[in-house]
Amino acid sequence: MTDAIHTDVAAARHEVVETGRRLLASSLTVGSWGNLSRRAGEGLIAITPSGRSYDALRDEDIVVTDLDGTVQAGSLLPSSELPLHLAIYKAIPKARAIVHTHSIYASALAVSHRDLPPLVEDLVQLTGGAVRCAAYALPGTPELGASVVQALDGHRAAFLANHGAVCWGTSLKEALTCAELLEKACRIFLAAGGSVVPLTDAQCRYINGFYEEHYSKRQQGLE
C-alpha cells in the first residue's frame, strides 16, 4: 500500500471500531451480531470481523477487502455479511458506509415482511420515502445482497426479511443516525398500531431534497 492508501485504511479502521462501540451502546444490536463497514479509499472497504464483540475490537482487527471481497489487510475473517455490503457499494456509488442491525422494532417489521410508510419527517429526510422489506434470502449469500439492493432502490434503508435492517450513508455517522431514526420510526409505527397517515410523495421529495441540498451540509459546518 502507498502511504496515502495506508493513511485512508488506518483512519477507516479506527472509525469502524469507534462506531461499533456506539452501535453497541445504542442497543441497536447485542454482542457480535450486526456489522458495519466504511470505504477505505479507492476500491477498498474496512469491515468488522466475524464473531467478535464490538467492545473488544481493536483497529487491527478490522478487515480490509477490495470490492471483489479479497482480503487486503487483517488476519481475521471478515463479517459473514460481506457479500451484502459489497452488493450495496457496487450498486450505490454514493454509499460510503453501511450499518446492519438486529434492532427490536425494525426486526419486528422484518419478521412480518412489512414496509414502513414515510410517517416521520426526520427519517424521510434521509430515506426519501418508505422503507421496503427485501424478499427473504439466506444470510451471507449473494442472493441476500441482490434482494436488499432491489429493496433499497437508491434509498438509504431497507429491512431484511426475518433478519433485521440495513442503512447506508455518506459517512458512518450518517449511516448510524439513519439506523437510529429507523428504529425510532418503527417503534412509533407499531405504537400507533400501524394506523398512520403517511407523507405524500411530493412531501417526501421536498423533505429529502432539503436534507440533501442544505441540512446535511449544515451538519458538517459547510453551510
Side-chain angles (χ1 to χ4, degrees), residues 17-92:
V17 168
E18 292 299 312
T19 305
R21 291 174 181 151
R22 290 196 291 273
L23 178 64
L24 191 61
S26 71
S27 299
L28 293 177
T29 194
V30 294
S32 60
W33 280 269
N35 35 74
L36 52 92
S37 68
R38 201 201 87 168
R39 289 191 186 265
E42 190 64 33
L44 297 174
I45 69 164
I47 188 168
T48 45
S50 178
R52 299 300 175 106
S53 182
Y54 296 101
D55 57 3
L57 285 178
R58 303 166 299 172
D59 290 10
E60 57 266 32
D61 295 328
I62 304 305
V63 184
V64 179
T65 79
D66 61 23
L67 293 179
D68 292 323
T70 302
V71 174
Q72 303 295 315
S75 59
L76 301 177
L77 291 173
S79 168
S80 60
E81 294 299 352
L82 175 63
L84 169 63
H85 289 246
L86 294 176
I88 295 172
Y89 285 125
K90 289 177 181 178
I92 309 173

Side-chain angles (χ1 to χ4, degrees), residues 108-149:
L109 270 72
V111 299
S112 56
H113 295 206
R114 298 174 76 178
D115 296 343
L116 178 71
L119 70 160
V120 287
E121 292 175 340
D122 50 11
L123 179 62
V124 171
Q125 284 187 39
L126 271 73
T127 62
V131 177
R132 297 168 56 194
C133 185
Y136 182 78
L138 289 171
T141 63
E143 290 77 16
L144 178 61
S147 179
V148 169
V149 166

Side-chain angles (χ1 to χ4, degrees), residues 16 41 46 63 77 83 88 99 114 134 158 160 173 190 198 204 215:
V16 168
V63 184
L77 291 173
I88 295 172
V99 173
R114 298 174 76 178
L160 285 63
K173 181 179 180 180
L190 293 169
C204 289
Y215 199 66

Side-chain angles (χ1 to χ4, degrees), residues 10 67 97 107 128 169 220:
L67 293 179
S107 295
Q220 301 173 62

Side-chain angles (χ1 to χ4, degrees), residues 169-182:
T170 56
S171 67
L172 264 175
K173 181 179 180 180
E174 186 179 70
L176 181 59
T177 296
C178 187
E180 292 170 334
L181 291 174
L182 177 61

